[in-house]
Amino acid sequence: MQRRIKNPATLVPGAMEAIQALIAAAQNAGAPSEVLQLVHLRASQINGCSLCVDFGVKHARQAGETDDRLFAVSAWREAPYFSDAERAALALAEAVTRLSDRSDPVPDNVWAEAAKHYDERALCGLVLWVATTNLFNR
């Protein structure tokens, strides 16, 4: 696909600063950094954003993430490398990224499992993180 316009966040005054503030708020909401990195990678894979997948993998590696886990993010349900909390966050990320794929976009069981591992503030941070990742992917 050929780019139609430059990055809107860099052209609209104040947009990038607002997005960066949203990113900082989501990062400080209580979900572990490792979880945010996995969630970013999974949403970027779903959306087919090669730039964000590449960035996500490199950033996660710099933070100490293992190749085994990074290679397995796309198959997290079957891979043995993830904790229950990470699986809950990945399921939530998939549901929030694929809102139009279901009549019940974020099923109660997905939300309930995530709520077992993250408090309300951290859940809000995860949702905002996924939304911001989807913004950049698009």
Side-chain angles (χ1 to χ4, degrees):
M1 178 162 89
Q2 187 170 350
R3 182 171 72 174
R4 294 182 181 139
I5 60 173
K6 293 181 182 176
N7 183 337
T10 62
L11 293 177
V12 175
M16 186 57 82
E17 294 81 7
I19 293 167
Q20 288 172 332
L22 180 59
I23 289 169
Q27 287 174 323
N28 293 317
S33 176
E34 299 82 13
V35 170
L36 295 178
Q37 291 172 13
L38 294 172
V39 162
H40 168 82
L41 180 56
R42 184 64 189 127
S44 297
Q45 289 171 337
I46 292 167
N47 291 324
C49 181
S50 63
L51 181 67
C52 290
V53 167
D54 183 58
F55 171 81
V57 166
K58 288 176 181 172
H59 192 260
R61 276 187 180 145
Q62 288 173 348
E65 190 58 81
T66 67
D67 283 344
D68 287 340
R69 285 168 45 94
L70 292 172
F71 295 150
V73 167
S74 64
W76 62 268
R77 284 177 182 81
E78 295 81 24
Y81 307 114
F82 305 103
S83 69
D84 290 343
E86 290 167 334
R87 290 176 191 284
L90 288 163
L92 181 62
E94 286 188 0
V96 171
T97 297
R98 294 179 163 147
L99 289 175
S100 66
D101 290 355
R102 307 171 51 107
S103 60
D104 181 14
V106 180
D108 289 341
N109 65 322
V110 170
W111 186 261
E113 185 63 23
K116 285 182 4 187
H117 301 282
Y118 303 98
D119 64 19
E120 187 174 38
R121 187 168 173 249
L123 283 170
C124 290
L126 280 167
V127 169
L128 290 172
W129 186 258
V130 174
T132 306
T133 297
N134 283 306
L135 170 70
F136 275 107
N137 291 164
R138 290 168 170 93

